[in-house]
Amino acid sequence: MIPSKSFLIAAKTAVHALALTPLAILSWQFWQVFSEADIDALGADPVAEIEHRLGIWALRLLLVALAITPLRQITGQPLLIRFRRMLGLYVFAYASLHFSAWLVLDLRGYWTLLFEEIVKRPYITVGFAAWLLLVPLAITSTKGWMRRLARNWGRLHRLVYAIAVLAVLHFWWIVKSDVREPLLYAGILALLLGWRLWRWLASRRRGRSARPVKQQQAQ
């Protein structure tokens, strides 16, 4: 059954609203602190809280985007693919805000410290690498770039798997004691990547088993 245009618009509107809700809440709390209406709205360390919230939602949305393909394959609903690019762009938006918040609020715009911190701290190194790899994916997310790159588009966008691993590692190294949350995300990522590996191996086995049949038919 092909979904109606109104249904697609409503579904995309809902996804936009859900993706923007964490940012809206964070913006309101930031304003509460900035205007001194509620200086505790973001806890004892507002800068760390802002950076953490933006980063964690970038990671969560990345995992949701990676879950689209398995869900489509399990449910047989091709409609889900229509939301993958949208979610990917939100991942880039949250990751860019996370990086900007660290640069402006933590480093206070001192660009000379940027590369020093990237080299000196491994968790920043992998986080910055993940963001850099997101940049070409965001740029080439349009249909025009899909046409220009053809098969290379799919090869380029496989970088998302490396990005996800780097993002989980970045979060894991930031957490100093309680690793339950990064462990949860690492487990979800392992399942998502494991599903893809299993599907790829299954398709390879089917391809090998089909070759003798084709050879016999040719004879």
Side-chain angles (χ1 to χ4, degrees):
M1 182 179 176
I2 300 174
S4 65
K5 187 176 180 179
S6 58
F7 175 81
L8 284 174
I9 292 172
K12 287 185 176 182
T13 301
V15 172
H16 279 300
L18 289 171
L20 286 170
T21 295
L23 183 60
I25 294 171
L26 181 61
S27 299
W28 170 249
Q29 291 175 323
F30 174 79
W31 175 252
Q32 291 288 95
V33 173
F34 183 77
S35 64
E36 298 185 354
D38 182 3
I39 59 173
D40 295 321
L42 288 170
D45 190 345
V47 171
E49 183 64 17
I50 290 169
E51 292 173 3
H52 171 74
R53 288 255 212 109
L54 293 169
I56 205 66
W57 276 105
L59 177 56
R60 288 170 179 171
L61 289 169
L62 177 58
L63 294 176
V64 172
L66 285 172
I68 292 290
T69 296
L71 286 173
R72 177 185 62 82
Q73 292 166 343
I74 292 169
T75 62
Q77 294 292 332
L79 172 67
L80 293 171
I81 291 297
R82 292 174 180 255
F83 302 98
R84 188 170 57 185
R85 182 173 59 175
M86 182 194 307
L87 289 169
L89 289 173
Y90 273 115
V91 172
F92 178 68
Y94 273 96
S96 297
L97 288 171
H98 172 65
F99 174 62
S100 300
W102 173 69
L103 181 62
V104 174
L105 300 178
D106 211 329
L107 296 188
R108 299 184 182 277
Y110 289 108
W111 289 91
T112 53
L113 294 176
L114 173 63
F115 298 105
E116 181 182 333
E117 290 290 304
I118 289 171
V119 172
K120 185 169 64 176
R121 304 183 191 279
Y123 74 90
I124 295 178
T125 306
V126 298
F128 184 67
W131 179 78
L132 276 182
L133 291 175
L134 273 172
V135 173
L137 301 196
I139 292 172
T140 60
S141 64
T142 63
K143 291 181 180 179
W145 273 107
M146 291 177 70
R147 287 193 298 270
R148 290 188 198 101
L149 294 175
R151 291 183 179 181
N152 290 325
W153 188 89
R155 297 188 184 102
L156 174 64
H157 281 252
R158 290 193 190 106
L159 284 174
V160 70
Y161 306 138
I163 291 167
V165 172
L166 290 172
V168 169
L169 187 59
H170 172 67
F171 183 34
W172 193 300
W173 282 350
I174 287 175
V175 176
K176 294 180 173 60
S177 55
D178 189 354
V179 297
R180 286 177 295 179
E181 190 175 3
L183 183 61
L184 171 63
Y185 296 134
I188 294 171
L189 178 60
L191 285 173
L192 294 173
L193 297 183
W195 172 269
R196 284 168 167 81
L197 178 61
W198 175 75
R199 294 272 302 188
W200 180 77
L201 291 173
S203 66
R204 295 268 295 180
R205 284 195 297 269
R206 286 194 299 269
R208 283 196 297 267
S209 62
R211 286 194 201 105
V213 175
K214 291 182 179 179
Q215 290 171 358
Q216 291 175 3
Q217 290 175 347
Q219 294 172 356

